[in-house]
Amino acid sequence: MSTPDRPVPTRELIDVPAVEVISRAAVMLMSAAAEQLGLGADDPEHPDHRDLGEARILITALAGLIKASTPDLGPHAAAFRDGLAGLQGAFREYSIEPDAPGQGPGER
């Protein structure tokens, strides 16, 4: 815990394992995509904010990161793939004109 007389110790980026950096990036992309889809709203069916264009970009980036790093994520890869699939499903559900099969964000 940080106090004025005792700051929180920081880690040098070089000391952070690569898998942790990848995992943190994936979690950030997932969280940002969920927010852009309105999934964090009290009523996800009628959120104050939903931006499918931004969500598409984030989901596509997440898919690329997961695809590229799956061999290194070990047992955590499945959870990230499941999260990606959930975001892709929500994107399809909220799209007025759904993409053709295989053409949605992160599906190519």
Side-chain angles (χ1 to χ4, degrees):
M1 183 186 268
S2 177
T3 62
D5 57 320
R6 197 172 121 194
V8 174
T10 59
R11 289 169 50 183
E12 294 296 323
L13 194 52
I14 197 156
D15 296 328
V16 181
V19 171
E20 186 176 335
V21 173
I22 293 166
S23 296
R24 285 183 182 193
V27 168
M28 180 170 276
L29 288 166
M30 291 175 85
S31 297
E35 286 296 321
Q36 293 295 343
L37 289 169
L39 298 177
D42 291 334
D43 180 5
E45 295 300 320
H46 304 96
D48 291 334
H49 174 83
R50 177 173 288 140
D51 187 331
L52 295 179
E54 289 292 303
R56 177 184 294 277
I57 293 167
L58 292 162
I59 293 168
T60 299
L62 174 64
L65 178 62
I66 292 171
K67 182 177 181 180
S69 59
T70 290
D72 301 309
L73 292 173
H76 306 290
F80 286 118
R81 282 193 303 265
D82 290 347
L84 171 62
L87 290 168
Q88 289 169 320
F91 184 92
R92 269 194 265 0
E93 180 180 333
Y94 297 135
S95 294
I96 294 170
E97 294 181 30
D99 295 309
Q103 299 300 308
E107 293 180 347
R108 290 184 242 172

